[in-house]
């Protein structure tokens, strides 16, 4: 496994971005995370379908105006033709256009970091995998929570057998922000609750998929079957805003996920609890500098990032001493740290094995889409069990 | 509704007990809770199937040795014949004998407080209801958590519409104590995991039923259908030690319950979260002096028992000022406060309507058994939906 | 050390009470705690200076009306003359009358449990000690917090050297209830802020003394010098409602106490943190079922009452399994458990050494009054250091 | 007041740095915070007194090697002579060299951002103020915690009178990291506990000064007198590692600060509680996305950054939606946001009033040094009151 190298700033990278224009959220976060890393420069972009807005963003970012594009198709072609073509492309548009954007870049041989969920159908996701392989491109899916130091420590503890064999997983991701239907829902709510932009699921796709990925990352378990109840709450809405999901994993463990966008009092409260034969682990992304570890028969311990008892492998991702909080930006920056290392290795002509790098790759992207499809399918049939 | 009257000690009551001998847990708790109330005296008992052990307990409690019995049947007959017959009987034996014991007492006209779950089958529970009505007896089921002041405040807030219409209920009750199978499991674990003593369910019966009752008490909602996955974890065990349950309520809300006896790091962590259109309520029995209330769009508030903002109806059950913790004994004592008031009214010849008193009655007992039966049935069929 | 014997109910005791009439707080709590214990009966009382109110309380408690008295002096004499004289007397009046009441009972040979702070001056406290010895009486001072199982566990861990040598003590006791001056302050506020009833201090006397005792109980350290700033906040008040105190202990450790009755957001938030060379302990009385223990270089652990890792000595005081909260009543009941065992031993004619019993004795009462005197003296002189 | 403008990246800045070489902590944090901002570029530096180490850092950062210097004196002169001279200098060396470094830069007309505590003596700090004014330079002192959105919200709430007049301030900053004396203490511990590098105080200077500044920032109160007990714990150490401080403010309020580097279980636990006549505010830097607000007579509320109830002025500093944690980097970035805006205004030839910008200026730097001096003076004299 390649170690975290966040302090090596000597090697430089360039990238382009699709999405991230005025009023968007996650595009600016990717830029900030890459700024924090300090070794990647944005060189081109198509930030909005409205070229004027795109230029506005470009100007604000101090971008060369000749490298602002009206479409990702145009951008893919023009940038591929340059001698100084960017090292990778970042796709942060609404879900429904991920496939077309990624496809365009892969066909031109660009490595891609794409937002989750990867695509609207798993067939599309599989096709992207095929294209990435065919064109020798690296592919990352920005499931951000696996970038937290303490999420990495959780995975390490589980792998090392500290909590024994996993028996149950209880995970949830409640939010409040869609509790009311707002006239002309805001930009964020708007596309997420619109099937044309979001795909077949809203809540399960946007945050349920984060539960799925975080659990998969920490435990390495695969879901064999699930049963989902999706509630569409809010007049005029056609997609789910609340879901309860029961699961069975390949080792026989059972699981229960809950995600909601209509839960008063919760901001972004991803919480994962993993129970094994010897102990349990509890991680909350809003408290991402901490990890609760309990060994059976002993009092719970609250591990804090930055302390000497954290494993070297996880600690390598820390930027700040204990008690100096890191957050969302640092987690995303950690994904990019590994992604950029893989790109650097590829640039040097080395053979890159995705398994050697600790960023969510296209397999996780595919699993995420399959999870969403299975939830939608189960719920449509009346909340019955479906196999994966 | 009859108000809490915990300070009125002038009126005196007498009672007998079945169960609660050496090594038992809940019988002694009932006695302590009644001691705390200060107006009920234990006068007879059958504390164990072993008369020597029963006498040992009686001696320790300073009981008249002529009123210690070898069986509840004998006790029911002998005590019924006395001019100073006890006001009520308390049944704290393992589940499987509840029915026979309660039946014996009801047939002799004794009012009864019985531990939960009420019986092993709902047919038995219905029969007890019929007998109680036929013989003019009061009947309580000691679902203790509804006795907490802040559980009462939660119910009041929901009834008053403070959190709007209930949309989702998330509730759980994890424990660690059965994480390992112990050679000749201890007395507590032993009977609970033994179908002959516990009935058709262990975890769902012992603690799942507490979730069901606490939610029902707070919301007034009825379950219309549910789906349960019961896991039997632990070599040699034949009953469930972990369960996940999805539910639908009569108002269309959805719910998700989790109970477990193999969850490292948890003692007795009943936690109920109720989400409505206007806000949410969160109650944890291990933090029973507090209640989290969130109104949508506002920061969460932590209500603390004993403060001026608590409603008079709930506050009437407080014994101590704010910040002076009350706990399990006080909650059980609050159930008895209402039960004893009902008994006093009956003694005075008044007509007693169970609905006027705030203790869990036989209807709640029946609902609890039906819930367990439905869970067992659903799980047996492969975790499918069953109607209630 | 005599072990906790809370379950032995066979031995019976009788007691009388001064104070605890209508509208009072702590008298009723003593009665409830003794009820919970289940082996002591109230047989006489002088609950109020108003005999009508006293009779009202007596009637409510079902007391023989011939044993209700107009003064403690009368009660001391009359009860001493009876063949069935009570085993002990409980004094729960405002501070200023503790001395006279205790004196009257000691002179008649009654053992006494008195509320804290013991007296208004340390000379009075010393005199009570002399009288208790001269008349062969047992004497307890009801510093309730030392009765918590986890306070006992804290003491045990410190004694066993688990946190090494104590270096610093940080302790606080904030409350909100006197944040405003209320017209004709309520009964509780009234006497506490009235020098004639409360003595020379209010906040430091009422709750500062609890900090002092809890720290002394846990650490065994003695204060050698202190410096106190007492703030009198609230128009028309003449006694302190907020105080900050620096201290030095006999082992060279330093300390800092803060008590306040004008701190918005706090109910009764006694919190004691003890830092040693090897680790630290943290106890909050509003979370009295838990204890935070940190060993240096390791993650903090949250110990929970009732679990197997709690020492047998402390666990012996537990009444309920882990996760079933105990609170204020149980803590006070634990003081009485030891006090009653001492009384029983004395009744049997044994020589009773206070050091063998785990209840706060007259030495702790004297220390408490000296602490208050030193705080008042220091503050009067401009918050300077004074020796103890 | 100038608004936060964190998203405007069009305007570009250049800076040099002193300190921040291999093994240092805070220099790299300044660089990361400026990276996160995305509009300032490091162009020159003197990262270590060892030029080889300095070059190593420069190479890693991709810096032009002709702009790496052997001393800050050389750097000040050489960079002042360039046509593209940097916009500002960042000083992150140990305390004792702050004065000389800042002086060298100010004399050449460079604006400066210096780490805290500003200097070793207040006379030095006053001299820097004089130089900054004489040479028309901007001067910031990087008290990072005032950069947190919720610290700004706390200040806003207090200014708006939401908690009324401040009566007491309780603040603390415990850490564990110096609990043991390590042979050849590590680089971080080494200079901080060495008077030649750290000045006359260690704990009070390093973290006590953070308490002082955070309280001053939030309340606007000035300390009029204080009394400090400084403990030198650890064999061979000559500077304080633990301190308790009592204070009086200009409005009559009292305060109590505790800072410690030998407190097991604490990482970096700055906690500030401010109590007023109408309510209270509580801020913990390790939980910097939250703020506890209590209005008297009401339950405590937990405010969370990013929600609609946060004031627009504070919210303008948020980079991420509610529930997506920000931390230390973002706080420091917020200081720089205002500092860079002031620099931009000055560059445009505008008159810049420090009071219009929300970054800690030289007055706060001077106050911090005076606070440290007063603590050392008080403790030397036996922990007596000293006037400020």
């Amino acid at each position: 496994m390649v170690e975290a190298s966040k302090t090596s700033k000597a090697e430089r990278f360039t990238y382009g971005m699709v999405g991230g224009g005025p009023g968007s959220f996650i595009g600016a976060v990717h830029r900030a995370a890459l700024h924090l890393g300090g070794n990647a420069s944005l060189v081109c972009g198509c930030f909005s379908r409205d070229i004027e807005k795109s230029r506005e963003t470009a100007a604000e970012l101090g971008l060369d105006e000749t490298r602002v594009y009206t479409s990702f198709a145009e951008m893919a072609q023009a940038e591929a033709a340059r001698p100084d073509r960017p090292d990778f492309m970042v796709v942060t548009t609404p879900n429904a256009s991920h496939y077309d954007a990624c496809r365009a870049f892969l066909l031109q041989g660009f490595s891609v970091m794409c937002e989750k969920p990867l695509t609207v159908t798993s067939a599309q996701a599989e096709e992207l995998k095929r294209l990435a392989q065919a064109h020798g491109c690296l592919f990352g899916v920005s499931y951000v929570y696996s970038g937290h130091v303490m999420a990495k420590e959780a995975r390490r503890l589980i792998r090392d057998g500290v909590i024994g064999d996993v028996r149950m997983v209880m995970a949830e991701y409640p939010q409040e922000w869609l509790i009311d239907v707002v006239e002309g829902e805001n930009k964020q709510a708007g596309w997420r609750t619109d099937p044309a932009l979001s795909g077949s699921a809203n809540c399960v796709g946007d945050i349920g998929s984060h539960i799925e990925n975080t659990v998969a990352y920490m435990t390495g378990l695969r879901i064999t079957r699930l049963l989902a109840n999706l509630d569409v709450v809010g007049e005029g809405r056609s997609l789910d805003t609340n879901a309860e999901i029961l699961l069975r994993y390949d080792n026989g463990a059972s699981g229960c996920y809950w995600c909601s966008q209509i839960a008063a009092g919760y901001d972004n409260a991803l919480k994962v609890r993993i129970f094994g034969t010897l102990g349990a682990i509890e991680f909350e992304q809003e408290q991402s500098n901490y990890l609760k570890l309990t060994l059976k028969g002993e009092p719970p311990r609250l591990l804090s990032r930055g302390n000497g008892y954290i494993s070297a492998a996880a600690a390598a991702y820390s930027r700040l001493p204990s008690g100096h909080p890191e957050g969302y930006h640092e987690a995303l920056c950690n994904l990019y740290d590994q992604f950029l290392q893989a790109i650097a290795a590829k640039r040097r002509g080395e053979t890159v094995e995705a398994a050697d790098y600790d960023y969510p790759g296209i397999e996780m992207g595919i699993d995420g889409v399959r999870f969403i499809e299975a939830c939608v399918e189960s719920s449509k049939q009346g909340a019955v069990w479906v196999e994966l």
Side-chain angles (χ1 to χ4, degrees), chain A:
Chain A
M1 183 63 86
V2 175
E3 269 190 32
S5 67
K6 64 203 165 301
T7 52
S8 168
K9 305 294 191 311
E11 195 136 22
R12 303 281 145 175
F13 305 88
T14 55
Y15 72 100
M17 176 173 277
V18 187
S24 76
F25 148 50
I26 201 69
V29 176
H30 278 257
R31 294 192 299 260
L34 283 160
H35 276 139
L36 183 63
N39 53 356
S41 305
L42 178 67
V43 293
C44 62
C46 167
F47 305 107
S48 168
R49 277 173 295 189
D50 176 339
I51 183 68
E52 285 317 309
K53 287 188 181 168
S54 209
R55 287 194 180 119
E56 185 188 316
T57 296
E60 199 176 273
L61 298 171
L63 211 66
D64 176 349
E65 60 188 21
T66 68
R67 296 176 81 174
V68 185
Y69 300 94
T70 55
S71 71
F72 52 72
E74 184 196 11
M75 178 162 131
Q77 274 197 306
E79 291 289 324
R82 294 181 66 106
D84 59 346
R85 47 182 286 163
D87 292 303
F88 64 100
M89 297 295 187
V90 177
V91 177
T92 66
T93 53
N95 308 343
S97 52
H98 287 182
Y99 172 69
D100 289 335
C102 292
R103 189 170 176 278
F105 293 126
L106 293 173
L107 287 171
Q108 298 294 346
F110 287 109
S111 289
V112 173
M113 177 66 82
C114 181
E115 259 303 318
K116 39 58 58 185
L118 177 53
T119 53
V120 171
T121 71
S122 57
Q124 292 173 335
E126 294 279 5
E127 172 66 7
L128 292 183
K129 179 182 171 188
R130 206 190 55 75
L131 288 172
Q133 285 172 332
H135 294 266
C137 303
L138 298 173
F139 203 103
V141 183
S142 51
Y143 284 109
V144 63
Y145 303 120
S146 64
H148 284 296
V149 173
M150 299 310 271
K152 295 180 186 304
E153 184 69 355
R155 183 169 71 152
R156 203 271 308 169
L157 289 163
I158 293 171
R159 284 192 175 184
D160 286 0
V162 173
I163 64 165
D165 296 327
V166 173
R167 283 170 163 178
M168 301 97 67
V169 177
M170 298 290 134
E172 63 183 46
Y173 199 145
Q175 302 180 319
E176 174 181 324
W177 72 305
L178 296 181
I179 191 167
D180 288 325
V181 177
V182 185
E183 178 94 35
E185 307 216 27
N186 71 38
K187 185 176 171 104
Q188 291 303 323
W191 75 256
R192 282 191 172 78
T193 56
D194 177 353
L197 295 173
S198 190
S200 60
N202 161 38
C203 182
V204 161
D206 190 27
I207 56 178
S209 61
H210 269 306
I211 302 178
E212 180 272 330
N213 181 260
T214 307
V215 173
Y217 179 75
M218 291 183 179
T219 65
L221 296 178
R222 298 192 65 79
I223 301 166
T224 55
R225 53 199 310 248
L226 64 76
L227 177 154
N229 169 59
L230 273 57
D231 291 323
V232 180
V233 179
E235 208 177 340
R237 286 179 179 152
S238 55
L239 292 181
D240 56 305
T241 46
N242 183 74
E244 298 104 11
I245 306 162
L246 297 188
L247 310 97
R248 188 67 63 177
Y249 302 94
D250 55 358
N251 76 337
S254 64
C256 185
Y257 300 169
W258 169 53
C259 53
S260 186
Q261 296 160 326
I262 57 170
Y266 290 88
D267 288 334
N268 205 30
L270 173 64
K271 178 174 173 178
V272 174
R273 293 182 286 179
I274 300 167
F275 298 91
T277 47
L278 302 178
I281 266 176
E282 187 165 325
F283 175 76
E284 299 184 55
Q285 88 83 13
E286 293 192 27
Q287 295 292 332
S288 58
N289 293 277
Y290 303 94
L291 184 67
K292 190 174 145 192
L293 169 66
T294 308
L295 303 183
K296 68 176 179 174
E298 300 190 14
R301 296 155 202 227
L302 192 63
L303 280 61
S304 167
R305 189 190 52 74
N307 279 284
Y309 47 74
I310 303 298
S311 70
Y317 288 90
S318 268
R319 286 168 171 76
L320 294 168
S322 66
H324 298 71
E326 296 182 349
Y328 196 93
H329 284 131
E330 288 83 357
L332 186 51
C333 194
N334 286 339
L335 297 196
Y336 274 112
D337 171 75
Q338 290 283 304
F339 187 61
L340 294 183
Q341 286 202 58
I343 284 177
K346 187 165 162 284
R347 220 159 49 175
R348 290 191 301 267
E350 299 171 14
T351 304
V352 173
E353 297 291 340
D356 290 340
Y357 294 87
D358 185 10
Y359 65 87
I362 197 147
E363 296 294 352
M364 280 188 162
I366 295 169
D367 286 348
V369 179
R370 280 195 185 132
F371 169 77
I372 298 166
E373 285 178 337
C375 289
V376 170
E377 179 64 19
S378 167
S379 194
K380 247 187 214 159
Q381 296 185 19
V384 301
W385 290 95
V386 297
E387 308 291 319
L388 266 88

